[in-house]
Amino acid sequence: MIDKIIVKDTIKSIDVVNISLSEMFYYLFWIIMLFAKGTGLYEGMRQYNICLVLAMFCLGLKLLFTKYKVADFAWMIPLILFGGWIYLHSKDQSAFILVAVMIGLKEIKLSRVFKIGALVWGGCFVYMILRTFAGGSTGPILAHDKLGLGPILRWSLGYTHPNVLHITYVVLAAFILYLWNIKPGRKQWKITMWLMLGNMYIFMYSVSFTGFLLMTLLLVFNLYLTSERKVRKIERIALQCILPVCVIFSLIGPMILDGNGYLFQIINHALNNRYSATRIYIQELGLSLWGIDVPSLYGFAIDCSYTEALLSYGCVFFVILVTGYMFTIHHMVQKGLWKELAIMLSLLVAGVSEPFLFNASFKNITVLFIGSYLFEVVENSGKLNAVSFWKKEIFLFSGKDKKLSFRIGKIKNICSESIVSICNNKVKLICISLLAFLIFSGIGAKFAYQPDSIYIGVGSTDCGKREEKYLNMQELEEGFNSLVYEYPGKEKPMYEFSGNMVTIEYIRKIISCGVWGGGALTLLIFIGIMVVGYNCSRERKG
């Protein structure tokens, strides 16, 4: 992709960036969909449907204002038809959304897409967490036996499940790692340390082992592939075998292993019954060419992305999808696109145990690499292909495409000064951050509410049978000093928990007070440093 920054002189190269209308419409599509999914909206909600319509309208404008070649439409139109056909057969809009992300990437630079993604997705992520802490929507709160501590709470922090919370963080980390690695030579241990600290903080609430391990896998892949050493031939071959292994392990393994055998039981237990779910769904529903509307069977959810794609998309599109991934991975290995490959492979491995790759969650950022690769292939083949028909350009409204000029001089100066200030005051800021963390943690320890017990609806627990209790929230006893989550109504049972669950909730409050309170204080002090530095520089110039 070609990122056009048109300049007239050296000064303007700093102050002005030109973005075409077609680019702007794709960024709007990207922002709207990220905002919708980043704030927890989902299919069926009116707000989500409005966002989807607006996003698709922007994408449609992007397509109209872009100049395409016949060769581009040779792969775009079949994919669009596949997406629509799958929706008609399976009522699953995810294939269409994945295709939409890819077909709009003509003349779009991925670095800008990732910058926008990091800002929007990161902003939504922080908003969802702070909204929960401020008393807003919590999302499902579950009580599970975890970590050998007995029943403890798992928080979704506004999302639809604790696992979704952690996968959302993994996607944010992928955005950040991509941007970090744009500038070569950066020290990986720094970003790895910060992202791992974030991983531990999110795990403190989600208690999602799969999410924690997948985030760790992303960091390991990034460290391995971005290290300053030559990747050997055997390693290149092994890297290209990861996706086939994931597909075979996820789809063929459950079908050929003995369901009562020792190996099947070990894998199934490690994957929390995902092997059993795949086996049951494939045996009961069979395979189709064009996909089906997958019903819920025997209380099992399909948490494997590859199983979900095979059943919902059908065999034809599934093979096309896997083939597209294989060619893209091969291209990355050949061209040495290691930062992209680290993200690609880690998320594809994550698809073994999480459904986000091929559902409508808009978390599968790997399709950005596929779309970019397909347009690059068409562009390169056009230089070699002597047949003029395939190189013929199709003008819809591309003649109306205009350049929009944005003056970013002030913003760029502020960012540059901020980076300089951080570097010059790095030790001070670290000390301030640690001190602020301790101060606000102490405040949290002093004032955090400590209930006698926690009540939670039986339907939100998975920790064995206990004494059932019933609460009428309108007629609580005097002196009632307990927290109530997932209240099912006065006629439905609840479980009461004390001990470790209450203690862990208290510890969580203390740490979060330190993290968010200390972070806010550090930010305010940093802004103060910036303002003082700016005023001093103005006085010197004056």
Side-chain angles (χ1 to χ4, degrees):
M1 302 295 112
I2 299 174
D3 185 19
K4 295 182 178 179
I5 301 178
I6 300 176
V7 299
K8 291 184 178 180
D9 52 48
T10 306
I11 297 176
K12 287 190 176 181
S13 69
I14 299 174
D15 291 342
V16 179
V17 171
N18 291 343
I19 298 177
S20 66
L21 273 175
S22 58
E23 281 184 90
M24 185 188 71
F25 285 130
Y26 186 81
Y27 297 147
L28 287 174
F29 157 78
W30 184 239
I31 289 168
I32 292 169
M33 289 304 299
L34 287 174
F35 173 80
K37 286 303 181 177
T39 53
L41 302 183
Y42 52 87
E43 293 176 74
M45 293 180 67
R46 184 180 179 185
Q47 300 95 316
Y48 171 76
N49 292 335
I50 292 172
C51 288
L52 182 63
V53 170
L54 288 174
M56 291 303 167
F57 177 72
C58 291
L59 180 65
L61 290 176
K62 198 280 172 188
L63 298 178
L64 289 174
F65 279 95
T66 302
K67 181 169 59 178
Y68 288 96
K69 295 179 181 178
V70 173
D72 292 323
F73 285 113
W75 68 266
M76 288 171 58
I77 292 176
L79 287 187
I80 293 170
L81 293 176
F82 267 118
W85 186 262
I86 289 167
Y87 178 73
L88 292 175
H89 275 258
S90 65
K91 308 303 179 186
D92 187 344
Q93 62 182 227
S94 62
F96 194 82
I97 291 175
L98 294 179
V99 171
V101 173
M102 290 190 284
I103 64 175
L105 283 169
K106 178 83 171 183
E107 298 178 355
I108 300 293
K109 190 175 182 182
L110 285 186
S111 61
R112 284 185 177 176
V113 175
F114 272 81
K115 286 175 184 176
I116 293 170
L119 287 172
V120 177
W121 197 255
C124 291
F125 189 66
V126 171
Y127 162 75
M128 293 291 281
I129 294 174
L130 294 181
R131 185 183 70 170
T132 298
F133 291 162
S137 174
T138 62
I141 301 174
L142 310 175
H144 288 177
D145 276 316
K146 293 283 186 178
L147 302 171
L149 298 171
I152 61 174
L153 292 183
R154 299 182 63 197
W155 287 78
S156 304
L157 298 184
Y159 292 97
T160 54
H161 192 274
N163 288 354
V164 175
L165 165 67
H166 215 121
I167 292 299
T168 302
Y169 175 73
V170 173
V171 175
L172 174 60
F175 280 127
I176 293 170
L177 281 174
Y178 182 93
L179 298 176
W180 179 265
N181 289 321
I182 286 177
K183 185 178 179 181
R186 280 185 162 173
K187 295 180 180 179
Q188 294 297 329
W189 67 267
K190 290 183 179 180
I191 194 65
T192 300
M193 180 190 69
W194 286 110
L195 291 177
M196 181 53 75
L197 286 173
N199 191 28
M200 291 188 288
Y201 178 76
I202 297 301
F203 178 78
M204 183 178 71
Y205 280 95
S206 72
V207 199
S208 170
F209 289 102
T210 55
F212 185 87
L213 291 174
L214 295 175
M215 180 64 214
T216 305
L217 181 67
L218 173 61
L219 296 176
V220 170
F221 265 121
N222 181 69
L223 286 171
Y224 166 63
L225 290 173
T226 58
S227 61
E228 296 180 0
R229 66 177 186 83
K230 186 177 180 180
V231 180
R232 294 173 296 177
K233 185 176 181 179
I234 187 66
E235 293 174 289
R236 292 170 180 264
I237 295 172
L239 290 170
Q240 295 178 71
C241 291
I242 289 176
L243 176 58
V245 168
C246 289
V247 173
I248 292 169
F249 177 80
S250 299
L251 300 177
I252 299 178
M255 306 309 298
I256 64 173
L257 292 177
D258 180 6
N260 297 316
Y262 182 68
L263 182 58
F264 183 97
Q265 295 299 326
I266 289 178
I267 297 173
N268 191 49
H269 178 72
L271 294 177
N272 197 19
N273 293 321
R274 286 170 175 82
Y275 249 38
S276 291
T278 295
R279 188 186 186 97
I280 289 170
Y281 273 89
I282 292 179
Q283 285 180 340
E284 292 288 330
L285 303 177
L287 301 179
S288 67
L289 290 176
W290 310 109
I292 59 172
D293 186 3
V294 182
S296 178
L297 295 177
Y298 311 116
F300 281 101
I302 302 178
D303 286 332
C304 173
S305 291
Y306 302 104
T307 306
E308 176 72 29
L310 182 62
L311 295 174
S312 296
Y313 297 171
C315 295
V316 176
F317 191 71
F318 182 78
V319 170
I320 293 172
L321 193 64
V322 172
T323 303
Y325 270 108
M326 289 299 299
F327 275 105
T328 305
I329 291 169
H330 177 73
H331 171 74
M332 288 177 171
V333 172
Q334 291 292 102
K335 298 294 184 180
L337 304 176
W338 304 122
K339 68 178 185 293
E340 294 87 346
L341 188 62
I343 295 170
M344 174 76 88
L345 294 180
S346 58
L347 295 187
L348 288 176
V349 173
V352 172
S353 62
E354 293 296 330
F356 71 95
L357 282 182
F358 307 120
N359 61 18
S361 66
F362 212 71
K363 296 184 181 73
N364 186 6
I365 60 176
T366 62
V367 294
L368 292 168
F369 303 130
I370 298 179
S372 179
Y373 164 71
L374 289 173
F375 280 116
E376 184 176 336
V377 168
V378 169
E379 187 68 27
N380 292 336
S381 64
K383 297 175 183 177
L384 302 174
N385 196 338
V387 180
S388 60
F389 172 75
W390 295 108
K391 295 187 288 184
K392 185 178 180 180
E393 294 179 333
I394 298 175
F395 300 86
L396 297 174
F397 291 94
S398 57
K400 303 291 185 180
D401 199 10
K402 297 180 180 179
K403 293 289 183 181
L404 303 176
S405 297
F406 294 93
R407 295 190 174 276
I408 62 168
K410 290 184 178 179
I411 297 174
K412 198 167 185 178
N413 288 337
I414 291 172
C415 291
S416 298
E417 290 176 8
S418 299
I419 294 171
V420 171
S421 295
I422 290 173
C423 293
N424 293 338
N425 300 280
K426 184 163 53 177
V427 176
K428 291 180 182 178
L429 288 173
I430 291 174
C431 293
I432 290 170
S433 298
L434 291 174
L435 181 60
F437 173 81
L438 294 174
I439 291 171
F440 279 91
S441 295
I443 293 172
K446 176 68 176 177
F447 296 103
Y449 172 57
Q450 286 184 275
D452 295 330
S453 63
I454 294 173
Y455 286 84
I456 188 166
V458 171
S460 299
T461 65
D462 184 16
C463 49
K465 292 285 186 180
R466 309 173 75 86
E467 180 186 356
E468 295 182 352
K469 298 189 177 183
Y470 297 83
L471 285 180
N472 185 344
M473 298 300 290
Q474 307 301 321
E475 300 177 1
L476 294 175
E477 297 178 1
E478 187 176 350
F480 182 83
N481 186 38
S482 298
L483 289 172
V484 180
Y485 296 122
E486 303 295 327
Y487 181 63
K490 63 181 181 180
E491 297 179 354
K492 294 185 178 180
M494 304 188 77
Y495 288 155
E496 183 182 14
F497 300 93
S498 56
N500 283 343
M501 181 180 286
V502 175
T503 302
I504 288 172
E505 289 306 298
Y506 179 63
I507 293 171
R508 284 170 171 167
K509 290 174 184 177
I510 292 173
I511 294 175
S512 287
C513 283
V515 169
W516 296 101
L521 180 60
T522 304
L523 179 61
L524 289 174
I525 292 173
F526 173 70
I527 292 173
I529 293 172
M530 285 288 298
V531 171
V532 171
Y534 178 74
N535 290 333
C536 290
S537 65
R538 286 189 64 183
E539 289 177 5
R540 285 195 298 268
K541 291 178 182 179

